[in-house]
């Protein structure tokens, strides 16, 4: 193909992948303190949805409207993962056919990344660490499972990642089942990516069960990631489904 066509094709691919992952090298946006509005559209007009969208994430999940049977069905297991570490970013990409089933459809798992502190609040509480399991269909429909961590027993998968990052490895053999709770009760609502371009239409599942990581693991993740949580966004009348309990 001609050079302009080739460049156009690359740009299109870049946009498609940016729909669920910030794969671009340099970020032109930054986190603030996790409370002050980030105002990302001032940095780049392409991020207009971040400031003007009405279905943004994260939210405080204590504003519960309805209780019901809200469980996720997913199969995660051991898989090789490609590690990417950068400012405010720690991501493990997988391509092993694992996924989450929602509405009778399979959403393939693409990557797991982390935030310190966690982004969604559960019952008004902000936890120190969250993992986001990002799933996307080939046509770009997104489902994210958020798993929250508090200080307690060490998490083996997290240690595998931290050891690999410390060793400078760019790939790792990871048992993803160790990063998700066995109890699959979740909060559910419709939201957005929590990073630019803040695309909406994301099916959010946040596990009700909080997992543990050791104090040392949480400190190491916080050290690597810094403040990497977006400020809470207004619900704007959206329905949050909470698990029965
Ligand atoms: Zn995330």
């Amino acid at each position: 193909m001609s050079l302009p066509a080739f460049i156009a094709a690359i740009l299109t691919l870049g946009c498609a992948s940016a729909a669920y992952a910030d794969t671009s090298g340099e970020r032109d946006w930054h986190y603030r303190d996790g409370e002050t509005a980030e105002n990302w559209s001032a940095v780049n007009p392409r991020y207009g949805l971040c400031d003007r969208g009405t279905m943004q994430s994260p939210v405080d999940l204590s504003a519960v409207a309805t209780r019901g049977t809200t469980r996720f069905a997913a199969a995660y297991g051991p898989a090789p993962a490609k590690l990417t570490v950068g400012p405010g970013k720690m991501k493990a990409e997988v391509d092993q056919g694992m996924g989450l089933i929602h509405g009778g459809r399979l959403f393939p798992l693409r990557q797991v990344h982390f935030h310190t502190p966690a982004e969604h609040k559960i019952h008004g509480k902000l936890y120190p660490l969250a993992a986001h399991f990002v799933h996307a269909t080939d046509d770009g429909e997104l489902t994210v499972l958020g798993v929250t961590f508090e200080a307690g027993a060490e998490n083996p998968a997290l240690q595998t990642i931290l050891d690999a990052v410390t060793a400078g490895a760019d790939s790792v053999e990871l048992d993803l089942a160790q990063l998700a709770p066995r109890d699959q009760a979740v909060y559910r609502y419709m939201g957005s990516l929590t990073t630019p371009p803040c695309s909406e239409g994301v099916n959010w599942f946040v596990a009700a069960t909080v997992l543990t990581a050791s104090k040392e693991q949480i400190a190491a993740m916080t050290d690597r990631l810094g403040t990497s949580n977006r400020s809470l966004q207004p619900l704007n009348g959206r329905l949050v489904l909470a698990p029965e309990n």
Side-chain angles (χ1 to χ4, degrees):
M1 75 180 75
S2 69
L3 190 57
F6 175 71
I7 290 168
I10 293 294
L11 287 174
T12 307
L13 280 173
C15 288
S17 55
Y20 63 83
D22 50 277
T23 50
S24 55
E26 280 296 299
R27 281 179 171 171
D28 58 359
W29 56 273
H30 300 281
Y31 287 107
R32 295 190 70 172
D33 57 6
E35 290 180 21
T36 315
E38 288 78 11
N39 205 15
W40 281 327
S41 66
V43 175
N44 187 329
R46 282 178 47 230
Y47 307 154
L49 210 48
C50 301
D51 297 324
R52 289 185 291 280
T54 56
M55 299 178 71
Q56 291 289 297
S57 296
V59 298
D60 184 344
L61 295 165
S62 57
V64 169
T66 306
R67 289 192 182 273
T69 305
T70 57
R71 311 189 79 77
F72 69 95
Y76 305 126
K82 179 176 166 283
L83 280 179
T84 311
V85 182
K89 179 163 79 174
M90 192 182 292
K91 181 172 73 174
E93 288 173 274
V94 293
D95 185 19
Q96 289 294 314
M98 288 181 282
L100 184 147
I101 295 160
H102 170 54
R105 297 172 62 197
L106 175 72
F107 287 76
L109 179 65
R110 309 289 182 162
Q111 49 110 327
V112 181
H113 64 261
F114 299 90
H115 296 268
T116 54
E119 296 203 298
H120 290 87
K121 277 189 176 177
I122 301 177
H123 293 300
K125 186 172 175 185
L126 187 63
Y127 288 86
L129 172 68
H132 287 166
F133 287 64
V134 182
H135 310 76
T137 58
D138 286 339
D139 58 7
E141 195 176 337
L142 297 166
T143 298
V144 184
L145 170 69
V147 179
T148 311
F149 294 83
E150 63 184 341
E154 181 177 298
N155 181 284
L158 210 52
Q159 198 55 45
T160 304
I161 293 173
L162 283 167
D163 289 346
V165 168
T166 303
D170 55 8
S171 65
V172 68
E173 184 72 25
L174 204 56
D175 187 354
L176 291 159
Q178 296 171 339
L179 285 175
R182 230 168 276 161
D183 183 340
Q184 298 182 319
V186 286
Y187 293 88
R188 263 189 55 194
Y189 77 102
M190 286 301 290
S192 74
L193 297 181
T194 63
T195 55
C198 308
S199 316
E200 295 188 338
V202 176
N203 301 296
W204 265 101
F205 292 65
V206 177
T209 299
V210 175
L211 295 186
T212 63
S214 70
K215 275 185 183 160
E216 292 75 17
Q217 289 181 319
I218 290 171
M221 293 298 284
T222 306
D223 209 40
R224 289 274 175 188
L225 290 168
T227 299
S228 47
N229 65 319
R230 186 188 188 192
S231 61
L232 288 172
Q233 304 296 306
L235 266 179
N236 294 324
R238 276 175 290 173
L239 186 72
V240 175
L241 274 171
E244 295 162 324
N245 52 24

